[in-house]
Amino acid sequence: MKKIVIGFVLTAIMVGCVQDINDLTFEVIKPGISLPIGSFSIEANSLTKLGDSLQVREGEFNVIEFFYNTELLRSPLNDRFTIADQSFSDAIPFNAFVFVAGATNEVKVSEFNSFTISNVDLPTPVPEMTKLIFKGGTISVSQSKDFDHNVETVIKIPKLTKNGVPLSITLSNTMSVNEPLNLYEFDLTGPLGTSFNTIEYEISTTIRNTGTSTTGTLSLGFDMSSMLFSYVEGDFQTYPFDLFEGNFNLGLPSSNNIPDNIAFTNPSVELVIDNSAGIEFGLDIVEVSVTDADGIKSLITGTYDDQTIILQGASSPSTVATSSYSISNQNTDNFASLLSSIPSSAFFSGNASANPNGIPPQGNFITDSSEVVINANLTLPMEGYANNYALIDTLNNINLKLDKSGKVSIDEVNLRLQIENNFPFEIRTQLYFLDSANQQLVLDSLFTTVDEQRIFTSATVDGTGLVTSSSIETVDINIQNEKYERIKTTGSIKLVVYVLTSGANDSPSKSVKITTDNFLKLDIGLSATALIDPEKLL
Amino acid sequence: MNYKNIRYISLIWIGLLAVNTLYAQQEFTLYHMPVLSQATYLNPAAVPEHKVSLSLPIPSVFVGFNNSALNVKAFVDKNGNVDYNKFVDGLDKNNNYLGVGANSELFHLRVKAANNFFSAHTRVVNDFRFIYPKDLLGIGSVGIKDGYSLSGLGINFNSYLEYGLGFTRVKPDSKWTYGARVKMLKGIANIQTKSSEIELAVNQNDIYQYDLNTKMEVNIAAGVDPLQVSSVNDISNINFNSYNDAKNVLKLNTGYAVDLGATLQFSEKLSFGIAVNNLGYINWNSYVENYSADVNLKFDGVILENIDFTGNIDSLFNTQVDSIFQSYEDTFNSGTDTTQIGYKTWLPTNVFLSAHYQFSPSTRATASLYTEFFDGVSLGAVVGINHSIGRGFDFTTSWWWFKNSGANLGLGIVFKPAFAQFYVVMDNVLPASFIKVSDPETNLSGVYLPYEVKNFNIRVGMNFVFGRIKNESRLPNLGISKHDHGVRRYLYKPSLK
């Protein structure tokens, strides 16, 4: 029995014997995780502003348009219309003084006469004024005589009224009187077939028998000077106004030129002209030019300046007539290319003449607030092409090490992108991993082929450049351990994004249109497997 | 019941909790030690060596740990390859466990009357089992790539007081010895994970969206109000000044169980035995909470539609994340029901089928098949030898295997000076084999590690025993020797004297 017990114990001890292991070999473990990152969408209609000045609106076919409004020039008209100082005289001769016997013993003479203004600013053709309202100027009336009797003269200008009261000036013997014309209203229509530019006046002279002269002449002088008007009415004929011109800042968002491989192919400027004068103008553009950030001035050439632009006249003093005129690819040779240089300023000049289509039935008028205002509305539709347009950025302070000690590495990372692209362009992306020391040495790039770089393919586009259907695809961006080991010491990543619109490679490049309906939907998932050496964890 | 005793019991229970508890812990070596009265916990038909056995005031304390998968062998092969992946591969898909626990016999008394033994005992039993699926640990090996399953994840915890009355009949001249024990159980606390389905599907054909389906049923009950007892200090501060105080504070949950055993003396040296233990249940009705969750959560990532780049995208992203978590919380809350309906838990019933061979009056060998019915059926096998040296020492060794645990060597020692009976029983004193590991790269130098052990337990205690039963009366082969002298009074067993 003892032998059995001893045998049993020995067996147990043998089972429990000790085996030496002098070196442990640790198998790596590769835990992984698959994780949905999320869904993101960008819609073109959410773009409401670009930079500080370019606004966004929806144009024809829902094409997105950037637009920018600026006042090209503001030109008051009243100061541009002047009437030169006017002078005229009259004389009443007396061949014999016949004093009427009686208490007064005097001679009375009355006369009605008129004067026609003939030199309104430019002599030919003479604007035919029918009504003036003064806001400045003076009328001077003087009297002289060559006889020794006392004389008193009353001069009336019946159509020059102030508050309804005609101007009346009384002169005694030799003297002159100045009367300010402010607030006087002058009806220049005459009674004798002259319906404009006519100044009528009455002279009533009384000579008293206080001298010895037997004959004489009474002379009267009229001077109207420094005349300013708050209202002028009449027929301005083809009165030429001074040159309209102005230099203005465009206020575009960037001073960087758009590179040659990107173009907006359908920009336009609409000139919107507000005219508060009762005169239709014919505007002849003399020059439109732009100046880039380097100060280089370029003329916009084409047929846009071949025709006279008609600016409608206001129908009444309190109204404004608006006219417009477009400058675009249709009437220029180089407008699109010049705009691509993102000019900093533009220059406009032009001449305007009155009544290019003849005199309107209601005539013309100018008030002291009449002006011509020209606004330039720059419209930049998202229509054009980009041929491998590159956006480059460098992301610094990148640390791809999962832990400082290097205990955990990456076995594989798969970034899955599910893309629905409704934009008419494809996007290619490349990432260059730069060394952390001097950021000059490229450790590796994310992709090796162009096809791999093409993350978003373009939507399908019709002949007009509009998107007809989205592109839908799944892209897996895979990084294996070998690549990770090469790039994990990177300190910065140079990101290069290429944009290529559909048909941009054709000759000539086709334009596409970006509309408010365009969108990009991006679903992102991540699957990663770590590489852990348990021995390093111990 | 003595109120001080109740508090004493409570304190012991908390103390045992502090060292963790055990769920359906097995004791294989003890089964082969009929010299100890505690062996009758595993076989009510066991016949002890003494007429009277008493444990008071020093209890018999058992603590143990077992698990289904964790051991050195699972990670390290004999060539020194450490492979966590292999360990994970070896796990069961849904049913792996860590069990810890303890039970403490507060009192027992076993006395012989004629050819019968009558016993009474009180003990507190604490079992804890954490059940985990393969993917719980697989996250460190495989991670969450194609899917993730935590189905089967759960906690089962059982703590109860056991009051037992036992009877063993050793009928002279009969092949049979049989015994039974009736137990009244008083449940102190229970956590039951009734069902657990947690499945995460990852859509590999898309952007790895998650679809999480969770269905869980968890029952919790307690014998004291959890709102009033949230820490150990709270329990230790409980004072019972009257029976009503105790009645108001302690609302223990009642259950019943029986242990059954029988031995068939097949020949003068060979006998067969069967023991069925813990056939019973506890009805949990006090402070019950039933949690039921049926929740489906989908995670598609953060959704940012129509991004306005003039806005703060970081802020948008964070707002979205907050919104997602809030919606998940709302969904989870709406999919979770809480009720207060009583429930029943069954004890982990175990069965020993044994063959005993009495080599000599002082040496006996036993081979057993062990079956455990809890959360399925688990099988084990054990071979043990018990050898007595004089009246003062008793040695038992067992070599056992249970549920992929590998072979384990157990040892039990009983030392009996005078009326005291000191004992130590361990099931893994020499756990199959050791490896001695040295590895310069990890600064390991001659570290001994048990290679296959998945279990460890120890029982210690002291009994007072009186009235040794003579071998001639107790052992059938000796009784039969009288038959050889022509007096056929005992076919297999004499009367116990």
Side-chain angles (χ1 to χ4, degrees):
Chain A
M1 179 51 57
K2 290 182 180 176
K3 291 179 180 177
I4 294 173
V5 174
I6 292 169
F8 185 83
V9 172
L10 288 176
T11 301
I13 292 172
M14 286 177 69
V15 171
C17 67
V18 177
Q19 175 164 345
D20 283 335
I21 295 175
N22 294 318
D23 186 24
L24 294 175
T25 304
F26 290 83
E27 298 291 332
V28 297
I29 54 177
K30 298 179 180 180
I33 186 169
S34 299
L35 184 68
I37 302 299
S39 296
F40 310 91
S41 68
I42 302 168
E43 296 177 13
N45 64 9
S46 65
L47 192 62
T48 58
K49 195 175 181 181
L50 186 67
D52 295 329
S53 55
L54 281 184
Q55 305 295 311
V56 177
R57 68 185 173 200
E58 186 176 327
E60 190 178 18
F61 302 115
N62 302 333
V63 174
I64 293 174
E65 294 178 348
F66 298 113
F67 69 98
Y68 173 68
N69 294 331
T70 187
E71 186 178 278
L72 195 59
L73 63 87
R74 180 177 292 270
S75 179
L77 293 174
N78 178 268
D79 294 341
R80 293 168 177 268
F81 176 78
T82 60
I83 297 178
D85 293 348
Q86 299 292 316
S87 295
F88 57 93
S89 61
D90 204 342
I92 301 174
F94 294 94
N95 296 323
F97 294 104
V98 181
F99 296 101
V100 178
T104 57
N105 196 16
E106 59 188 19
V107 175
K108 290 188 176 180
V109 177
S110 296
E111 183 180 301
F112 183 86
N113 209 341
S114 67
F115 170 74
T116 299
I117 300 171
S118 60
N119 57 340
V120 178
D121 200 2
L122 294 173
T124 303
V126 178
E128 299 170 349
M129 303 295 104
T130 56
K131 184 178 179 180
L132 301 172
I133 298 176
F134 291 92
K135 66 175 182 181
T138 304
I139 182 170
S140 298
V141 183
S142 60
Q143 176 178 263
S144 62
K145 61 179 184 173
D146 55 1
F147 54 87
D148 57 358
H149 300 287
N150 291 332
V151 60
E152 183 177 277
T153 303
V154 176
I155 298 168
K156 289 185 179 177
I157 303 178
K159 293 186 178 178
L160 180 62
T161 61
K162 187 176 185 180
N163 300 322
V165 179
L167 176 66
S168 178
I169 298 173
T170 301
L171 302 172
S172 297
N173 295 325
T174 299
M175 66 176 296
S176 65
V177 171
N178 296 326
E179 174 69 17
L181 287 170
N182 188 28
L183 302 179
Y184 273 94
E185 185 175 327
F186 209 163
D187 183 352
L188 296 177
T189 58
L192 302 175
T194 55
S195 56
F196 49 84
N197 295 352
T198 302
I199 301 172
E200 294 178 334
Y201 58 91
E202 290 178 13
I203 302 172
S204 297
T205 299
T206 300
I207 301 172
R208 290 184 176 82
N209 187 15
T210 56
T212 60
S213 300
T214 57
T215 62
T217 300
L218 181 69
S219 299
L220 295 167
F222 296 84
D223 291 300
M224 299 176 74
S225 61
S226 303
M227 291 179 288
L228 296 173
F229 313 102
S230 62
Y231 182 79
V232 178
E233 183 181 291
D235 177 358
F236 279 76
Q237 299 290 334
T238 54
Y239 184 86
F241 284 78
D242 291 344
L243 195 66
F244 292 108
E245 67 176 30
N247 196 50
F248 56 96
N249 292 323
L250 287 171
L252 295 179
S254 171
S255 61
N256 295 326
N257 290 352
I258 296 177
D260 294 339
N261 55 3
I262 189 168
F264 293 97
T265 54
N266 195 21
S268 65
V269 168
E270 184 183 35
L271 300 177
V272 178
I273 304 119
D274 292 332
N275 179 13
S276 55
I279 306 170
E280 184 180 81
F281 290 104
L283 176 65
D284 292 304
I285 297 176
V286 176
E287 177 186 326
V288 178
S289 60
V290 293
T291 302
D292 65 18
D294 298 326
I296 299 173
K297 180 179 179 181
S298 301
L299 290 175
I300 294 175
T301 60
T303 61
Y304 70 97
D305 56 355
D306 290 353
Q307 65 181 93
T308 298
I309 304 169
I310 302 301
L311 312 184
Q312 300 296 324
S315 58
S316 64
S318 59
T319 61
V320 174
T322 300
S323 307
S324 63
Y325 183 72
S326 288
I327 300 173
S328 66
N329 284 342
Q330 279 65 48
N331 55 10
T332 62
D333 303 324
N334 57 352
F335 185 64
S337 62
L338 288 179
L339 213 61
S340 294
S341 68
I342 311 295
S344 59
S345 65
F347 175 78
F348 174 88
S349 69
N351 292 317
S353 59
N355 302 314
N357 293 320
I359 311 302
Q362 71 275 17
N364 302 133
F365 67 84
I366 298 176
T367 71
D368 58 351
S369 61
S370 290
E371 61 184 0
V372 170
V373 179
I374 301 178
N375 287 291
N377 294 339
L378 169 65
T379 301
L380 197 63
M382 293 291 282
E383 180 179 346
Y385 61 85
N387 192 347
N388 283 331
Y389 174 56
L391 298 167
I392 301 173
D393 196 6
T394 301
L395 311 173
N396 294 314
N397 301 319
I398 301 296
N399 184 1
L400 296 182
K401 292 179 181 176
L402 293 184
D403 68 328
K404 292 179 180 177
S405 62
K407 295 171 183 172
V408 180
S409 181
I410 291 290
D411 183 57
E412 180 183 11
V413 170
N414 189 62
L415 187 66
R416 176 166 295 172
L417 309 177
Q418 286 194 338
I419 305 142
E420 183 178 1
N421 184 15
N422 191 257
F423 283 98
F425 52 76
E426 70 174 43
I427 292 177
R428 286 188 288 110
T429 301
Q430 179 62 288
L431 271 64
Y432 297 98
F433 301 93
L434 309 179
D435 70 310
S436 57
N438 53 23
Q439 300 183 0
Q440 297 295 321
L441 176 66
V442 177
L443 302 174
D444 203 346
S445 61
L446 181 61
F447 303 113
T448 54
T449 68
V450 173
D451 284 342
E452 288 177 344
Q453 296 177 19
R454 189 175 294 108
I455 295 175
F456 306 138
T457 57
S458 172
T460 305
V461 176
D462 65 12
T464 67
L466 291 170
V467 168
T468 56
S469 63
S470 303
S471 70
I472 299 174
E473 63 187 327
T474 299
V475 176
D476 283 317
I477 301 172
N478 195 270
I479 297 176
Q480 298 287 332
N481 174 260
E482 295 77 10
K483 184 185 286 287
Y484 173 74
E485 290 298 326
R486 287 196 295 272
I487 66 176
K488 70 180 182 182
T489 59
T490 190
S492 58
I493 297 175
K494 187 174 185 179
L495 170 67
V496 183
V497 176
Y498 300 96
V499 179
L500 178 69
T501 55
S502 180
N505 277 332
D506 296 352
S507 182
S509 295
K510 289 181 180 174
S511 291
V512 296
K513 297 171 181 173
I514 296 177
T515 70
T516 54
D517 302 325
N518 293 148
F519 65 90
L520 175 70
K521 187 170 183 296
L522 178 62
D523 298 340
I524 305 175
L526 176 74
S527 181
T529 304
L531 191 63
I532 302 172
D533 184 353
E535 188 170 11
K536 293 180 179 176
L537 296 176
L538 297 175
Chain B
M1 176 179 290
N2 185 306
Y3 305 127
K4 290 185 177 178
N5 277 352
I6 293 175
R7 185 176 180 187
Y8 177 59
I9 292 167
S10 301
L11 288 172
I12 290 176
W13 172 62
I14 294 303
L16 294 174
L17 281 181
V19 294
N20 280 326
T21 54
L22 152 129
Y23 204 94
Q25 293 286 339
Q26 297 79 33
E27 289 190 83
F28 293 111
T29 306
L30 179 66
Y31 183 80
H32 302 81
M33 301 175 70
V35 67
L36 291 177
S37 178
Q38 283 76 14
T40 64
Y41 292 135
L42 302 175
N43 181 11
V47 178
E49 205 176 34
H50 294 85
K51 296 175 181 176
V52 177
S53 174
L54 172 67
S55 69
L56 192 73
I58 298 174
S60 175
V61 176
F62 170 88
V63 294
F65 161 84
N66 67 3
N67 87 96
S68 63
L70 283 171
N71 64 0
V72 176
K73 183 182 180 182
F75 293 92
V76 186
D77 67 14
K78 289 291 180 70
N79 296 318
N81 293 317
V82 183
D83 193 346
Y84 182 76
N85 303 307
K86 191 188 81 172
F87 161 68
V88 171
D89 288 342
L91 293 174
D92 186 83
K93 183 175 187 335
N94 299 113
N95 191 12
N96 309 282
Y97 65 87
L98 289 170
V100 290
N103 64 63
S104 177
E105 181 190 69
L106 306 175
F107 161 79
H108 96 257
L109 173 64
R110 193 175 197 208
V111 297
K112 173 182 170 298
N115 290 311
N116 306 306
F117 286 90
F118 297 94
S119 65
H121 80 273
T122 300
R123 63 175 181 165
V124 59
V125 179
N126 301 283
D127 295 326
F128 174 88
R129 179 172 287 196
F130 172 63
I131 304 159
Y132 60 93
K134 180 179 186 177
D135 280 2
L136 183 72
L137 299 179
I139 197 168
S141 170
V142 181
I144 304 173
K145 295 208 76 172
D146 301 330
Y148 194 66
S149 172
L150 291 180
S151 293
L153 180 70
I155 289 174
N156 287 310
F157 170 66
N158 214 6
S159 175
Y160 59 90
L161 285 167
E162 180 180 283
Y163 305 99
L165 294 174
F167 167 75
T168 305
R169 171 67 171 161
V170 187
K171 186 177 179 182
D173 305 337
S174 173
K175 297 179 181 179
W176 291 95
T177 302
Y178 45 86
R181 179 182 291 106
V182 178
K183 299 185 285 191
M184 185 174 73
L185 312 174
K186 285 294 183 182
I188 299 170
N190 177 261
I191 300 174
Q192 179 195 41
T193 303
K194 194 171 181 183
S195 66
S196 163
E197 292 179 33
I198 305 171
E199 296 289 334
L200 176 70
V202 179
N203 188 349
Q204 291 290 331
N205 297 320
D206 210 286
I207 58 162
Y208 317 115
Q209 293 96 331
Y210 289 173
D211 188 353
L212 176 64
N213 283 294
T214 301
K215 291 182 180 177
M216 285 193 78
E217 288 183 81
V218 177
N219 296 318
I220 296 176
V224 292
D225 186 354
L227 297 177
Q228 296 180 14
V229 183
S230 57
S231 69
V232 173
N233 288 336
D234 289 341
I235 286 189
S236 63
N237 289 332
I238 293 174
N239 288 308
F240 304 127
N241 297 318
S242 67
Y243 175 77
N244 285 336
D245 278 357
K247 190 177 178 183
N248 290 334
V249 173
L250 292 176
K251 297 184 184 302
L252 302 180
N253 301 269
T254 303
Y256 300 96
V258 296
D259 302 333
L260 302 171
T263 304
L264 172 65
Q265 194 67 44
F266 184 74
S267 69
E268 60 186 283
K269 291 189 176 180
L270 180 63
S271 61
F272 298 98
I274 181 170
V276 180
N277 304 308
N278 281 336
L279 199 59
Y281 62 89
I282 300 175
N283 283 323
W284 299 91
N285 294 305
S286 301
Y287 303 111
V288 172
E289 295 286 345
N290 318 106
Y291 298 99
S292 173
D294 186 353
V295 180
N296 174 253
L297 297 175
K298 294 182 185 299
F299 178 58
D300 298 334
V302 174
I303 297 174
L304 293 178
E305 291 182 334
N306 197 7
I307 298 171
D308 179 4
F309 286 100
T310 60
N312 186 331
I313 294 185
D314 283 349
S315 174
L316 278 176
F317 192 90
N318 292 333
T319 302
Q320 273 287 316
V321 171
D322 292 344
S323 172
I324 287 171
F325 279 107
Q326 183 61 52
S327 74
Y328 288 169
E329 184 179 337
D330 295 343
T331 303
F332 192 84
N333 288 337
S334 66
T336 303
D337 291 328
T338 304
T339 57
Q340 292 78 36
I341 301 172
Y343 60 97
K344 176 183 289 184
T345 58
W346 291 91
L347 299 186
T349 303
N350 60 69
V351 176
F352 281 93
L353 287 173
S354 307
H356 311 281
Y357 191 86
Q358 194 78 36
F359 288 102
S360 70
S362 59
T363 304
R364 187 177 79 156
T366 302
S368 302
L369 291 175
Y370 175 82
T371 307
E372 181 181 289
F373 300 91
F374 176 77
D375 199 17
V377 178
S378 303
L379 297 176
V382 54
V383 176
I385 292 179
N386 173 253
H387 181 69
S388 299
I389 302 174
R391 294 186 177 187
F393 291 95
D394 188 277
F395 293 95
T396 302
T397 183
S398 67
W399 189 34
W400 59 271
W401 171 92
F402 178 67
K403 208 174 184 179
N404 302 319
S405 66
N408 300 270
L409 185 67
L411 181 66
I413 300 172
V414 179
F415 172 55
K416 195 185 82 63
F419 300 113
Q421 187 181 49
F422 297 96
Y423 55 90
V424 177
V425 186
M426 291 181 286
D427 274 345
N428 279 86
V429 65
L430 190 60
S433 63
F434 277 89
I435 56 174
K436 181 183 177 185
V437 178
S438 299
D439 183 49
E441 293 172 345
T442 53
N443 296 322
L444 293 176
S445 178
V447 177
Y448 287 89
L449 296 174
Y451 191 58
E452 296 186 32
V453 63
K454 294 179 182 176
N455 308 273
F456 174 78
N457 59 47
I458 183 169
R459 177 181 286 276
V460 295
M462 186 200 81
N463 298 326
F464 290 105
V465 291
F466 308 97
R468 179 179 170 82
I469 301 172
K470 296 177 181 176
N471 280 345
E472 292 78 5
S473 300
R474 188 170 57 87
L475 301 175
N477 58 340
L478 297 180
I480 285 171
S481 68
K482 290 192 175 182
H483 167 74
D484 293 341
H485 290 83
V487 182
R488 190 179 172 80
R489 289 185 60 191
Y490 319 113
L491 181 59
Y492 291 101
K493 293 172 291 186
S495 292
L496 293 174
K497 293 179 181 176

